[in-house]
Amino acid sequence: PGLSTRLWISKDPEFTRPTQLGPALSEAAYGSVVAFALPKLEPDTLYHYAFEIEGRTVILCGDLRIDPTEAAA
């Protein structure tokens, strides 16, 4: 069976008030990949992201920034 996964997104690297997306259920037939529709993110803003798996494991992954020229397109 697949794993229940949530995506956390936050401007704060400590994730004091993260936006939580999901849960999404991974499927082995698709390489155990999950997909999330992201909320509208602010251009040129640093976001941090992490994954929660099965409600107990938080895996801190990294950060991302939305390119202001891409956001305007």
Side-chain angles (χ1 to χ4, degrees):
L3 299 174
S4 177
T5 305
R6 289 185 188 273
L7 172 64
W8 293 15
I9 299 174
S10 178
K11 293 179 186 176
D12 173 17
E14 300 298 320
F15 292 91
T16 54
R17 292 180 41 173
T19 297
Q20 295 183 18
L21 304 173
L25 193 60
S26 66
E27 295 184 38
Y30 297 105
S32 297
V33 173
V34 295
F36 298 94
L38 296 177
K40 186 171 181 156
L41 301 177
E42 297 173 29
D44 202 28
T45 301
L46 184 64
Y47 290 93
H48 306 276
Y49 64 95
F51 293 97
E52 173 189 309
I53 301 173
E54 291 297 312
R56 63 185 182 279
T57 304
V58 175
I59 301 169
L60 299 177
C61 292
D63 51 56
L64 61 97
R65 184 180 300 271
I66 305 302
D67 183 338
T69 58
E70 292 293 322

